[in-house]
Amino acid sequence: MSRFVDRVTIHATAGNGGHGCSSVHREKFKPLGGPDGGNGGNGGNVTLVVDPQVHTLLDFHFRPHAKAGNGRPGAGSNRDGAHGDDLVLPVPDGTVVLDGDGTILADLVGAGTTFAAAAGGRGGLGNAALASRARRAPGFALLGEEGEINELVLELKSVADVGLVGFPSAGKSSLVSVLSAAKPKIADYPFTTLAPNLGVVTAGAEVFTIADVPGLIPGASAGKGLGLEFLRHLERCAVLAHVVDCATLEPGRDPLSDIDALEAELAAYTPALSSDHGLEDLATRPRAVILNKIDVPDAADLADLVRPELEERGWPVYAISAVSRTGLNELTYALADLVRRHRTENPPPVPRRAVVRPKAVDEAGFSVIADPNQPGGFIVRGTRPERWIKQTAFDNDEAVGYLADRLNRLGVEAELVKRGAQPGAPVTIGAVTFDWEPQVPSGEDVPIQGRGTDVRLDRPDRIGAADRKVARKARRHHADDIGAGWVSIGSDDTVDPGAVAPATTSESAQSDD
């Protein structure tokens, strides 16, 4: 007999991306073959998918760690690394995914529904992909990114149309066994059922599922006993049916007090699933009352006694015997009618379409804030800057220069200047803190140098991008003046970029337009 597990914690680790390759083509009589390093492969993803053949989370209980394959590094001769293998984890229908704080991330209902548990890291670009007019032979490559590592909680909430609730030993399992082909464990002691049992019931043309939820006791909504574990499986049920033991010999118990006690627990329990699923709180669900064990003479008399008072509450009441099968036919069609009405009033939700929200054209994509732990320091936050930091090999000066170019083009340097950053100020991006040196000239031709070096990092008189933009604008206006005949200068006259006043922020923005 398989063990039923309905709550587990898994550790999903996606694959790391492969590093890019820094390589130069070498062939006889072709000493300048150019860069030919390939890109690294992407890391594999960890994905949860609903499988109708899976009914428990038992596999995750014994194997909670799930890891996808790593991407392979690139190689010379423009050979890209292989992508890491994705890891697909089958889960039962009705699985809810939560983070460590208890926030619902996904509600997996319906065969084939998927959820990305952890995204694989991107592979790094090789030096062949990084070649440009400014860098014709890059002596570096980008590193692969690490895959995501997420700790997730999986909860199984049974998908059933009718949920049977009642005190222990009320006869719920027996009722499921006679209404469907399910064969739950049945015994004459309390809490025989420790896990929900699902059965499929056919009533004419209507087919619905029925769940035998383990017995509830007063205080279940506050966690007494295993109440919270049991109540979780009622969240998806469209109809709740009270199964009442009319033949109990326990003192102080009768059908009305049993129902009132359980109604108080249902009203106090707050389902985690929202009304987006078409189901409100448990207190608002349609009800039915099943008075069981009327094959006992005293139980039949008690059922006739309490029936009028229960019907006054507006609930349909059915007296049955799971042993002698009395009243089962009427009960089956009545439950099918309640399920049919619910399905009519609450059609299945339309699958949500993927919403693409393009970023605004003026959105910077990063933010700069003062570092509270370092006087005069700053912290740069943003998806792209933090990703670029992870892709950079800081033992390669040329790679560091390329990082400076990227940050400069993004506008990080201009924002630091705007916020009053001074040369040498500690700037933190991701997990790296470095001393900021402004005006690293990006975009200009990198002079011939040793591979893996960048002479710009050693220049004491570096000119910022804004100053170069102003100088180009001045030269362009100077050329227009010559064409219009306004001024006449010799061929040896030039414009001194240092003599041009730095542009303001608004002027720089206008020149981009």
Side-chain angles (χ1 to χ4, degrees):
M1 181 177 178
S2 64
R3 180 179 175 184
F4 184 86
V5 176
D6 59 356
R7 181 183 174 89
V8 295
T9 299
I10 66 170
H11 305 272
T13 304
N16 299 329
H19 299 329
C21 176
S22 177
S23 172
V24 176
H25 181 69
R26 290 177 174 83
E27 187 177 347
K28 190 176 182 180
F29 306 120
K30 292 184 179 180
L32 301 178
D36 66 347
N39 303 330
N42 297 329
N45 303 317
V46 179
T47 305
L48 304 179
V49 59
V50 174
D51 187 346
Q53 302 303 319
V54 179
H55 305 287
T56 177
L57 300 173
L58 181 63
D59 290 343
F60 302 108
H61 176 75
F62 293 107
R63 291 184 292 273
H65 296 275
K67 189 180 188 311
N70 295 329
R72 302 294 298 173
S77 301
N78 295 305
R79 291 174 294 175
D80 294 340
H83 297 312
D85 295 330
D86 294 334
L87 180 61
V88 179
L89 304 175
V91 297
D93 193 4
T95 300
V96 177
V97 185
L98 306 95
D99 61 12
D101 299 329
T103 303
I104 295 179
L105 303 178
D107 183 15
L108 306 180
V109 178
T113 304
T114 60
F115 172 73
R122 297 185 182 185
L125 296 179
N127 65 341
L130 297 173
S132 63
R133 182 186 63 82
R135 284 186 177 83
R136 293 178 174 82
F140 69 99
L142 298 185
L143 304 179
E145 299 179 33
E146 294 183 354
E148 292 182 348
I149 301 177
N150 295 324
E151 183 175 292
L152 304 173
V153 177
L154 305 184
E155 285 187 352
L156 176 58
K157 299 185 178 180
S158 304
V159 180
D161 297 308
V162 179
L164 302 180
V165 296
F167 275 72
S169 299
K172 300 182 296 298
S173 298
S174 300
L175 183 58
V176 170
S177 66
V178 296
L179 292 180
S180 67
K183 300 301 178 185
K185 181 180 179 181
I186 301 173
D188 58 352
Y189 55 85
F191 294 108
T192 306
T193 303
L194 296 178
N197 298 300
L198 268 67
V200 180
V201 182
T202 302
E206 199 73 35
V207 178
F208 62 94
T209 55
I210 187 169
D212 162 24
V213 179
L216 301 177
I217 59 176
S221 61
K224 187 175 181 180
L226 295 176
L228 292 178
E229 303 297 324
F230 297 164
L231 285 168
R232 181 169 67 244
H233 294 280
L234 295 175
E235 293 190 23
R236 301 185 192 276
C237 296
V239 179
L240 300 182
H242 285 282
V243 180
V244 181
D245 181 5
C246 292
T248 181
L249 299 178
E250 295 183 23
R253 283 188 54 187
D254 61 82
L256 294 178
S257 62
D258 285 359
I259 293 175
D260 291 338
L262 295 183
E263 281 294 321
E265 298 304 320
L266 295 175
Y269 178 72
T270 302
L273 301 180
S274 65
S275 57
D276 295 340
H277 300 77
L279 299 175
E280 303 294 338
D281 291 344
L282 298 181
T284 63
R285 307 284 172 85
R287 295 287 198 276
V289 178
I290 303 173
L291 303 177
N292 193 17
K293 303 183 181 180
I294 62 170
D295 53 304
V296 178
D298 291 342
D301 296 338
L302 182 59
D304 293 336
L305 181 64
V306 299
R307 178 192 287 267
E309 186 170 348
L310 292 173
E311 291 178 342
E312 289 179 1
R313 301 185 182 186
W315 297 339
V317 181
Y318 306 94
I320 63 105
S321 171
V323 175
S324 63
R325 305 203 174 199
T326 304
L328 292 184
N329 192 48
E330 179 186 1
L331 174 63
T332 302
Y333 281 92
L335 294 177
D337 184 62
L338 291 174
V339 171
R340 179 185 56 78
R341 278 188 285 175
H342 173 79
R343 292 174 178 174
T344 304
E345 297 172 358
N346 301 277
V350 179
R352 296 181 179 179
R353 297 182 179 180
V355 178
V356 179
R357 295 182 175 88
K359 295 182 179 179
V361 294
D362 57 347
E363 184 177 348
F366 69 94
S367 62
V368 177
I369 62 174
D371 191 341
N373 299 322
Q374 298 202 37
F378 295 88
I379 299 177
V380 179
R381 294 174 178 172
T383 303
R384 285 188 289 178
E386 293 176 3
R387 179 191 304 147
W388 295 343
I389 288 292
K390 297 176 182 178
Q391 293 175 339
T392 302
F394 285 92
D395 57 352
N396 187 305
D397 287 347
E398 191 176 357
V400 175
Y402 180 71
L403 171 65
D405 288 347
R406 303 174 88 177
L407 295 175
N408 201 0
R409 286 193 296 267
L410 186 62
V412 173
E413 180 172 309
E415 186 65 21
L416 287 171
V417 173
K418 180 179 177 181
R419 292 186 173 272
Q422 300 298 322
V427 176
T428 301
I429 305 178
V432 177
T433 300
F434 54 90
D435 295 333
W436 178 61
E437 291 294 338
Q439 297 182 345
V440 174
S442 62
E444 54 182 41
D445 293 341
V446 179
I448 298 177
Q449 56 192 335
R451 297 184 67 226
T453 62
D454 194 325
V455 297
R456 299 174 304 164
L457 300 180
D458 300 326
R459 285 169 49 181
D461 56 344
R462 296 180 297 207
I463 303 174
D467 294 338
R468 293 197 311 276
K469 189 178 300 182
V470 173
R472 287 196 300 269
K473 182 178 179 181
R475 288 195 298 270
R476 184 166 57 251
H477 290 171
H478 187 63
D480 294 340
D481 292 345
I482 294 176
W486 292 348
V487 295
S488 177
I489 60 177
S491 58
D492 295 335
D493 294 338
T494 58
V495 177
D496 183 11
V500 181
T504 62
T505 303
S506 59
E507 291 173 345
S508 300
Q510 292 174 0
S511 64
D512 288 341
D513 296 337

